[in-house]
Amino acid sequence: MPAWLHALDRWIPLRYLTLCTLVLMAALGTLGWWAGAAHPGWMVLGWAGSALGLRDLRQTKRAVLRNYPVIGHLRYLLEFVRPEIRQYFLESDNEAAPFSRQQRSLVYQRAKGQPDKRPFGTQLDVHARGFEWINHSLNPSHIEGQDFRVLIGGDRAQPYSASVFNISAMSFGALSANAVLALNGGARKGGFMHDTGEGSISPHHRVHGGDLVWEIGSGYFGCRDAQGRFDPERFSANARDPQVKLIEIKLSQGAKPGHGGVLPGPKVTAEIALTRGVPEGVDCVSPAAHSAFSTPLQLLQFVERLRTLSGGKPTGFKLCVGHPWEWFAICQAMLESGITPDFIVVDGAEGGTGAAPLEFTDHVGTPLQEGLLLVHNTLVGLRLRERIRIGASGKIISAFDIARAMALGADYCNSARGFMFALGCIQAQTCHTGECPTGVTSQDPSRQRALVVGDKIERVAQFHRSTLYALKELVQAAGLAHPGEIRATHIVRRVDNDQVRLLANQLPFLQPGELLAAIAGEQPWPHPVYESYWPMAQADSFAPRRGAAGGTMKNAPRGAGRAGREAALSTEA
């Protein structure tokens, strides 16, 4: 900066130049207006800007505005539009934050029934570490249909044949009424499941009659008494509705595992109050923990109780894996009681439809790969896997995402944000503010009207249909007859510039009964995570057993060495 500007800045700070210009404009504009030589607009602009500048100087909340009156607002304007500028102009097609433009475009095209083909080859770096592909066959199969199904609760009174791709848990209240109507209408049209989320079954879920998974959270919405405790009579009345196909107990969710929630009283409208069974205008609390059970054995007894009260409908639970000993405690309770859930949904920490504190979003919960592997392997090792179906959720968008999850042990997959994109979500990430630009997550009627239910029903069904068609093509290319036949031996992962491995060789997989044999002392533990944490688990408590062998990761098995500790970490996440 020139010397004369430095000198001027000492007497009249240049950061006040905008304010000084506005004051001068106000004075000259006023004189000009009195003289009839200037438009009054200049006077109004000058006085309005001067008033804003004086207000900025006197306010005490924002240091930038005190030092840079008027012009400092430009900083907040640019900060406000930064996400849109980045999304539309700066980020690459493959930069996922949290979903890439290519992923979003794939959903939009499939939902609209537009061509989803890509010309001129892949945009991905096939030599990058972590790149994956599915091995194809020189003798591809031929599959007539694409309506892939899996039977859940086959030995129950009311078993359910589920699609391998379904709508994950999202509550009315988090979603708008029109969004719920469109999702359920699409589920009815396409013949797949729609998870209600813990906000219970709203009138909007019932309009089109699509198959429902009723999620029961710690607030027991739709089946609670005046004190917020579980009410078996209210539960039975809702659960026996023919539209309800599965009962799902929510233990935790990937977006914010171990974290409760509060819907402020002003947001508890008459409609939400009726749906959840809570007083209108009063804070609606979802505790972090359940009150109907407090031990693994009590959890399984609660599963059995809900199964009975529902008339024999398949009943299970959803969790994001946390402490390994707590999951092992549930498994020990299965062995001890003989009670097993009909299904378990593993929610990865990638899940994100629930707004959460940044620490929970970024650093709490096990990602889907590690959580799914741990659940699948444990059930296989205990010879319980054939009795329990496993669902997977967590950033699943494409047919390859489904195929990969099935290779790791899933029987079916759920997607939340994928179906939000099908509704028109543009990833504005304002879901929790009530100002969703497309009306998907807003309770504002004027914003909801942007979402035309009839059109979005078609898009939801079309996205599901097109994704399953793409899955069929992948399965055919691999020479298989059903996506349930996909194994880790079909997926290849690049681990270095000049080295690739099958997932079956990269990740640990147990053989049937292998864990039972290790527990009985008939063979070594199949993996350090079991050696460390299985002895800590107990069927009658989620707390770790004191004085048991193993312990925290710093007490990983002696002799396992660095490789053993790292292997344990890779499974525990």
Side-chain angles (χ1 to χ4, degrees), residues 305-427:
R305 186 183 184 192
L306 298 190
R307 194 154 46 205
T308 301
L309 289 170
S310 66
K313 294 183 178 180
T315 304
F317 55 81
K318 178 180 84 173
L319 83 164
C320 177
V321 174
H323 294 308
W325 66 77
E326 294 180 344
W327 160 241
F328 293 158
I330 295 173
C331 293
Q332 289 188 11
M334 293 182 201
L335 296 174
E336 182 175 318
S337 67
I339 302 172
T340 55
D342 297 302
F343 64 91
I344 297 172
V345 175
V346 181
D347 202 13
E350 304 93 324
T353 55
L358 184 64
E359 292 82 359
F360 279 78
T361 299
D362 288 348
H363 302 294
V364 180
T366 304
L368 179 59
Q369 173 177 289
E370 287 71 25
L372 179 56
L373 266 178
L374 186 63
V375 170
H376 170 71
N377 274 332
T378 306
L379 295 178
V380 168
L382 296 176
R383 295 191 183 277
L384 295 173
R385 184 64 179 86
E386 295 303 316
R387 299 164 59 180
I388 302 170
R389 298 298 187 188
I390 297 179
S393 57
K395 215 170 181 180
I396 292 175
I397 290 286
S398 70
F400 183 78
D401 296 335
I402 298 173
R404 190 183 191 281
M406 289 187 158
L408 296 178
D411 293 301
Y412 63 94
C413 295
N414 297 332
S415 176
R417 287 169 290 182
F419 284 99
M420 287 176 68
F421 290 142
L423 290 175
C425 168
I426 61 172
Q427 195 173 272

Side-chain angles (χ1 to χ4, degrees), residues 274-328:
L274 177 64
T275 297
R276 300 194 176 195
V278 298
E280 180 181 355
V282 177
D283 287 354
C284 180
V285 179
S286 295
H290 280 262
S291 60
F293 58 86
S294 58
T295 70
L297 281 171
Q298 290 174 0
L299 164 62
L300 294 180
Q301 290 163 359
F302 191 56
V303 168
E304 186 65 33
R305 186 183 184 192
L306 298 190
R307 194 154 46 205
T308 301
L309 289 170
S310 66
K313 294 183 178 180
T315 304
F317 55 81
K318 178 180 84 173
L319 83 164
C320 177
V321 174
H323 294 308
W325 66 77
E326 294 180 344
W327 160 241
F328 293 158

Side-chain angles (χ1 to χ4, degrees), residues 166-222:
N166 307 281
I167 301 172
S168 196
M170 294 180 284
S171 301
F172 169 60
L175 294 183
S176 68
N178 283 6
V180 172
L181 286 166
L183 288 173
N184 194 255
R188 174 64 183 268
K189 188 177 182 69
F192 52 98
M193 298 187 293
H194 178 195
D195 195 315
T196 64
E198 68 175 311
S200 191
I201 308 170
S202 73
H204 311 294
H205 286 98
R206 301 183 188 276
V207 171
H208 298 291
D211 292 348
L212 293 178
V213 181
W214 185 14
E215 184 177 271
I216 309 298
S218 56
Y220 306 110
F221 300 127

Side-chain angles (χ1 to χ4, degrees), residues 457-473:
I457 285 176
E458 296 298 327
R459 292 195 184 190
V460 168
Q462 180 64 43
F463 169 58
H464 178 266
R465 182 164 54 249
S466 298
T467 303
L468 287 190
Y469 181 80
L471 179 62
K472 181 184 84 166
E473 292 190 313

Side-chain angles (χ1 to χ4, degrees), residues 522-547:
E522 299 171 359
Q523 67 177 57
W525 291 96
H527 195 279
V529 72
Y530 297 104
E531 185 175 6
S532 293
Y533 295 116
W534 186 269
M536 298 171 62
Q538 46 190 337
D540 58 357
S541 175
F542 283 111
R545 189 190 304 274
R546 298 301 176 188

